[in-house]
Amino acid sequence: AQTVTQSQPEMSVQEAETVTLSCTYDTSESNYYLFWYKQPPSRQMILVIRQEAYKQQNATENRFSVNFQKAAKSFSLKISDSQLGDTAMYFCAFDRGGGSNYKLTFGKGTLLTVNP
Amino acid sequence: DVKVTQSSRYLVKRTGEKVFLECVQDMDHENMFWYRQDPGLGLRLIYFSYDVKMKEKGDIPEGYSVSREKKERFSLILESASTNQTSMYLCASSLSPAKPQHFGDGTRLSIL
């Protein structure tokens, strides 16, 4: 079974600075997909970024980028130029891409607070 | 944009009641999911469905059932509500495995 670990329950950062959220996972699969989702306070969960395991290039979406280390089974999220609107719970998720017993496995989340 | 609509944002029910949580998506997605979100535990999958009338158990199906009679609608049923089912419930849909999931606003359910 896949597991996803987010070792930082809470983090804080000053506005305009850079912060990195960590995520590790455990799997025997060779091809899979990884996601970061963001859940602002009292608001809807939305996708931040997606990485396909067979692609070596790290995914990037504007101020958000990942450091994907397949051998180490690590998938960290870097937020550059942090903004107050980045305050949210961030969830790392693993998707084996279908097949029997398919499901998406989430970590327990990291609460990020951006301070003015 | 994909829209996933959950019927209630807040719901209060009594112990022993049968509770229905409804979810509708408007993008013809094959897959639909029900999660439970509790502080410190993240999201845990209750059930999911990959086609009409098809369902699969997730990690915590006990005390719950689901129904998917139409592609766009996925219902979560608490057969006999108990206080330990007080939680935030999230519905999601996706086009296929490996595609991003789109979430509803959530239903905060309190069982008294």
Side-chain angles (χ1 to χ4, degrees):
Chain A
Q2 288 80 23
T3 58
V4 177
T5 302
Q6 293 179 247
S7 59
Q8 306 147 315
E10 294 187 37
M11 294 186 72
S12 63
V13 64
Q14 293 299 120
E15 198 174 7
E17 292 187 350
T18 295
V19 64
T20 299
L21 281 59
S22 66
C23 173
T24 58
Y25 57 93
D26 186 25
T27 184
S28 57
E29 305 281 340
S30 58
N31 193 26
Y32 47 87
Y33 304 82
L34 295 162
F35 301 86
W36 279 98
Y37 286 89
K38 168 185 176 181
Q39 186 180 40
S42 301
R43 293 183 62 187
Q44 195 176 56
M45 180 103 69
I46 57 173
L47 176 71
V48 175
I49 203 163
R50 174 178 180 262
Q51 174 80 42
E52 300 172 10
Y54 64 86
K55 288 187 177 178
Q56 293 186 341
Q57 186 173 5
N58 289 325
T60 299
E61 280 292 336
N62 300 315
R63 298 182 295 107
F64 298 87
S65 61
V66 298
N67 183 5
F68 173 50
Q69 301 288 329
K70 192 172 184 180
K73 298 180 181 175
S74 171
F75 182 60
S76 60
L77 175 70
K78 185 171 84 170
I79 306 174
S80 303
D81 186 25
S82 297
Q83 300 176 0
L84 296 178
D86 295 333
T87 291
M89 182 72 84
Y90 288 81
F91 292 97
C92 177
F94 174 99
D95 185 330
R96 61 191 288 251
S100 61
N101 300 317
Y102 162 72
K103 66 176 184 178
L104 187 66
T105 303
F106 285 85
K108 294 184 178 180
T110 296
L111 178 62
L112 176 67
T113 302
V114 180
N115 298 308
Chain B
D1 275 356
V2 175
K3 189 159 182 63
V4 178
T5 303
Q6 294 185 229
S7 52
S8 305
R9 288 297 300 270
Y10 302 94
L11 204 54
V12 180
K13 296 291 183 181
R14 298 215 170 267
T15 304
E17 279 192 71
K18 190 169 186 176
V19 181
F20 294 84
L21 302 183
E22 307 286 345
C23 176
V24 177
Q25 50 95 2
D26 66 356
M27 283 302 291
D28 203 35
H29 282 175
E30 302 290 337
N31 302 284
M32 296 188 75
F33 307 82
W34 274 108
Y35 295 94
R36 172 175 170 160
Q37 183 178 10
D38 298 289
L41 297 178
L43 275 72
R44 293 179 291 168
L45 182 66
I46 304 172
Y47 269 97
F48 71 96
S49 169
Y50 52 88
D51 202 351
V52 175
K53 298 190 185 295
M54 305 302 289
K55 61 184 180 183
E56 292 284 344
K57 292 180 180 179
D59 296 317
I60 52 165
E62 296 78 20
Y64 303 94
S65 62
V66 291
S67 172
R68 195 169 181 197
E69 296 296 319
K70 293 184 178 181
K71 192 174 187 179
E72 67 271 18
R73 185 180 298 271
F74 192 36
S75 302
L76 179 69
I77 304 156
L78 285 67
E79 296 291 343
S80 177
S82 64
T83 55
N84 62 13
Q85 292 178 309
T86 291
S87 187
M88 171 70 87
Y89 290 87
L90 296 177
C91 176
S93 73
S94 72
L95 183 61
S96 64
K99 296 296 184 185
Q101 294 192 6
H102 299 265
F103 288 83
D105 287 337
T107 295
R108 189 166 293 282
L109 175 65
S110 296
I111 307 296
L112 305 179

